[in-house]
Amino acid sequence: VDECQRMIAADRSFIHERLGTLVFGEDDETLEAATLQLLEQQQGTVATLEGGTSGLLAQTLAIAAAGRSNFKAGSVIAACDLLPNEVLPAGSSSAISSEAAVQMAKWIRSQQGTDFGLAVTHFSAVKNEGDISMCFIALATANDVEVVEHRILSDASIARPRATKTAINMLRLRLLANG
């Protein structure tokens, strides 16, 4: 048994060394649980504002946050035109843009008084065969905002879960960088 444990430890170490930040947990640890644990270790808080993920981001974090106080709030915008004017002023070019995601992340962070604001815009409509749907995901801190364009290249049914995981992973990577 001891020999097996040593072999497992050596393999585990090798995997972590080779894959680095791609490894977020072991056994049944989820991405969201690992992220909230990092957030708790850094005594940080997060709030979300989402459109395209229809509340899945908030739900995922809320379930993983059971007993923790670092996930403060999740807000869902049912339609692009329902964004408050202070988030996206009337006449803005698009609610599905990096600028919209940035404003959403900054706004929810400010409204909830959290260390991080995480936002997901709605997905762009697919009008023609071959069109690619996309959304924008932003992470705001007191000092900066990171935004990514998230393209859905495969089955649209996985768009919401993939965008949710991408958003959570953005937060995880930032927390790892903060050390």
Side-chain angles (χ1 to χ4, degrees), residues 9-23:
D11 287 347
R12 181 179 289 130
S13 177
F14 177 78
I15 290 168
H16 281 270
E17 189 177 298
R18 290 291 180 136
L19 297 179
T21 60
L22 293 176
V23 178

Side-chain angles (χ1 to χ4, degrees), residues 55-145:
L56 185 58
L57 176 58
Q59 177 186 18
T60 301
L61 289 173
I63 290 168
R68 293 185 172 121
S69 61
N70 52 8
F71 175 59
K72 294 294 184 187
S75 297
V76 181
I77 304 297
C80 294
D81 59 348
L82 297 177
L83 283 167
N85 280 340
E86 61 267 27
V87 177
L88 195 64
S92 294
S93 60
S94 176
I96 304 171
S97 65
S98 60
E99 296 81 14
V102 165
Q103 292 307 313
M104 289 169 65
K106 287 173 147 180
W107 183 81
I108 196 65
R109 183 186 164 280
S110 172
Q111 288 295 303
Q112 295 299 325
T114 57
D115 300 299
F116 298 94
L118 198 50
V120 181
T121 67
H122 282 84
F123 286 94
S124 60
V126 175
K127 297 177 183 171
N128 301 306
E129 186 176 330
D131 284 355
I132 296 172
S133 183
M134 67 179 164
C135 69
F136 293 86
I137 302 169
L139 176 65
T141 69
N143 301 318
D144 67 347
V145 182

